[in-house]
Amino acid sequence: MPGTVVINEDECIGCETCCELAPAVFQFDADSGKAKVVNPTGASDDEIQAAIDACPVTCIEWE
């Protein structure tokens, strides 16, 4: 495993792409208007990496 996946919520624009690609890992927080990590082990590394790669503002990374 590359590490733990994290979102820089200051950079997140709330597009929900990560939530669509890995819904067991990411969820949209309606209060903040941002995505958040709810289960960092909820998908394979490849699925999480696909969400990282698809993020339009590159605010998701392995820590």
Side-chain angles (χ1 to χ4, degrees), residues 17-41:
T17 300
C18 59
C19 302
E20 293 172 9
L21 293 174
V25 177
F26 305 99
Q27 287 185 357
F28 184 73
D29 180 356
D31 291 334
S32 68
K34 312 275 183 173
K36 63 181 182 177
V37 176
V38 293
N39 182 5
T41 60

Side-chain angles (χ1 to χ4, degrees), residues 5-39 51-52 54-61:
V5 65
V6 295
I7 295 178
N8 180 334
E9 291 184 21
D10 291 335
E11 294 180 16
C12 179
I13 60 171
C15 72
E16 298 185 64
T17 300
C18 59
C19 302
E20 293 172 9
L21 293 174
V25 177
F26 305 99
Q27 287 185 357
F28 184 73
D29 180 356
D31 291 334
S32 68
K34 312 275 183 173
K36 63 181 182 177
V37 176
V38 293
N39 182 5
I52 291 170
C55 178
V57 292
T58 62
C59 68
I60 311 168
E61 63 184 7

